[in-house]
Amino acid sequence: MSVSTQPRFVVEKHGPGAYYVFDTATWVSRHPSFTRRAAQKIADRKNAEQATKENR
């Protein structure tokens, strides 16, 4: 299996004041946020959780 340098969870803008965390593996947007910073915090947390799961 190849290691991807791209994070699985990324932030997408869906309109003014509407940001979502997009899962690149399942192609689903979740976790709506009003600010990019809040969405980025969620994406960072989800990426860290995913890395922990993969290293088990």
Side-chain angles (χ1 to χ4, degrees), residues 21-54:
V21 176
F22 180 71
D23 184 348
T24 58
T26 61
W27 294 84
V28 176
S29 293
R30 305 175 198 218
H31 309 291
S33 299
F34 291 112
T35 64
R36 178 166 179 71
R37 183 176 180 196
Q40 188 63 55
K41 281 183 168 182
I42 295 167
D44 291 344
R45 186 183 76 234
K46 299 295 279 178
N47 283 321
E49 290 171 2
Q50 187 64 30
T52 301
K53 288 179 184 177
E54 290 175 357

